Amino acid sequence: MSNVTTNFNDRTIEYEQLLNDFKSLLKKNNLKFTIQREVILDTLYNSDEHLTPELLHHRIQSKHPQLKTGIATVYRTLALLEDSQMVTSLSFGAQGKKYELGAKEHHDHLICTECGTITEFVDEDIEKRQHDITDELGFKMSDHSMQIYGICKKCQKQL
Amino acid sequence: MSNVTTNFNDRTIEYEQLLNDFKSLLKKNNLKFTIQREVILDTLYNSDEHLTPELLHHRIQSKHPQLKTGIATVYRTLALLEDSQMVTSLSFGAQGKKYELGAKEHHDHLICTECGTITEFVDEDIEKRQHDITDELGFKMSDHSMQIYGICKKCQKQL
DNA sequence: GTCGCTGCAAAGTCTTTGCAGAGAG
DNA sequence: CTCTCTGCAAAGACTTTGCAGCGAC
């Protein structure tokens, strides 16, 4: 394999930037910037993993017990963020949706069916082919997502 | 664009074959071949679309009203078929899962966010890159799925 | 102050499960 | 005949919504 253009976990978005985007978004829609909303954004940002609403809620409760953030607020905020394209959701397994930050910072997913870990990657060749395909069909692509399921290196050793 | 290897809707699985696979599967697990199960398989086979459990149930009720097939049976059978890799599920939009036949006959998906239509395609280049990527990482791929979201040609005209 | 936001609990969805009778092997 | 399936209805899991008080601006 020669010219490999694949990059893994190339995180580039700054939190400041993100927070500003969020604030602009809120202002633009006459919405308010609340502690809960900030904590949710922050928790999402500081999680490498993809979080379920439940997990996110739990993590917030542990870290900010005084807030008593309700699960409803988590759902409401995730919906808001998803509508605004600030987070993306992935459906994984039988049930449940997992959320991650940064739709702008596009990447695809390697999902280990043993441990549930999601690894992100971007491959230029695939991205290019996707555009070729949609162009060919006159399909106006707005987004795409790819998931590869299998067993990660670590889990293979343990089996 | 020169050597295009993309193919659309290349349906090759025969119903006979499918039915036999299903029967073998059932026999192997000491399960019974019931009318309901056959009707579900048949309905899936004769739908070009990807069906939700609800839609599938509704379609069965219309076509075979005398059976009074319960939605629970539809769910149970879909779970069985999915476990056995005879159908695959796709999560689409906010809610709901859509099922389609033939995990063996792999393909990716173009999903129109306007009309909800799902078009299938296979692209050799992408398939190859996926293998390269997983090989590179020591990840043992068992399956993968790709969805491209956007607006199809037809809907673009109508907007 | 105003008006959107939040937590709570109640209400919705969608899916699964328990059970007793029906039916495949 | 036996043991799995099925439909029904009830129970579950996950999300959304209504409301009254709270808090950002």
Side-chain angles (χ1 to χ4, degrees), chain A residues 32-33 35 53 72 75-76 95-97:
Chain A
K32 290 173 180 174
F33 181 67
I35 299 286
Y75 275 106
R76 281 185 283 230
Q95 222 132 24
K97 236 166 146 182

Side-chain angles (χ1 to χ4, degrees), chain A residues 86-100:
Chain A
M86 290 191 62
V87 307
T88 325
S89 65
L90 264 188
S91 296
F92 172 61
Q95 222 132 24
K97 236 166 146 182
K98 285 187 170 183
Y99 290 83
E100 62 171 333

Side-chain angles (χ1 to χ4, degrees), chain A residues 26-53:
Chain A
L26 292 173
K27 189 163 289 177
K28 202 174 62 188
N29 293 286
N30 262 75
L31 303 174
K32 290 173 180 174
F33 181 67
T34 63
I35 299 286
Q36 286 86 347
R37 284 177 177 165
E38 169 155 28
V39 166
I40 289 170
L41 191 71
D42 179 273
T43 307
L44 276 171
Y45 181 76
N46 287 301
S47 294
D48 283 340
E49 320 151 62
H50 296 58
L51 299 174
T52 58

Side-chain angles (χ1 to χ4, degrees), chain A residues 72-91:
Chain A
T73 299
V74 173
Y75 275 106
R76 281 185 283 230
T77 304
L78 283 173
L80 169 65
L81 288 169
E82 192 173 16
D83 277 355
S84 329
Q85 322 241 320
M86 290 191 62
V87 307
T88 325
S89 65
L90 264 188
S91 296

Side-chain angles (χ1 to χ4, degrees), chain A residues 54-72:
Chain A
E54 197 185 1
L55 228 171
L56 180 52
H57 179 231
H58 185 260
R59 207 161 282 193
I60 287 169
Q61 282 189 316
S62 313
K63 205 168 174 184
H64 308 272
Q66 75 290 358
L67 272 182
K68 286 192 302 166
T69 312
I71 186 90

Side-chain angles (χ1 to χ4, degrees), chain B residues 68-97:
Chain B
K68 284 192 301 163
T69 312
I71 186 90
T73 298
V74 173
Y75 275 105
R76 283 186 281 230
T77 304
L78 284 174
L80 168 66
L81 288 168
E82 192 173 15
D83 277 355
S84 329
Q85 323 241 317
M86 289 192 62
V87 306
T88 325
S89 65
L90 263 188
S91 295
F92 171 62
Q95 222 133 22
K97 239 166 143 183

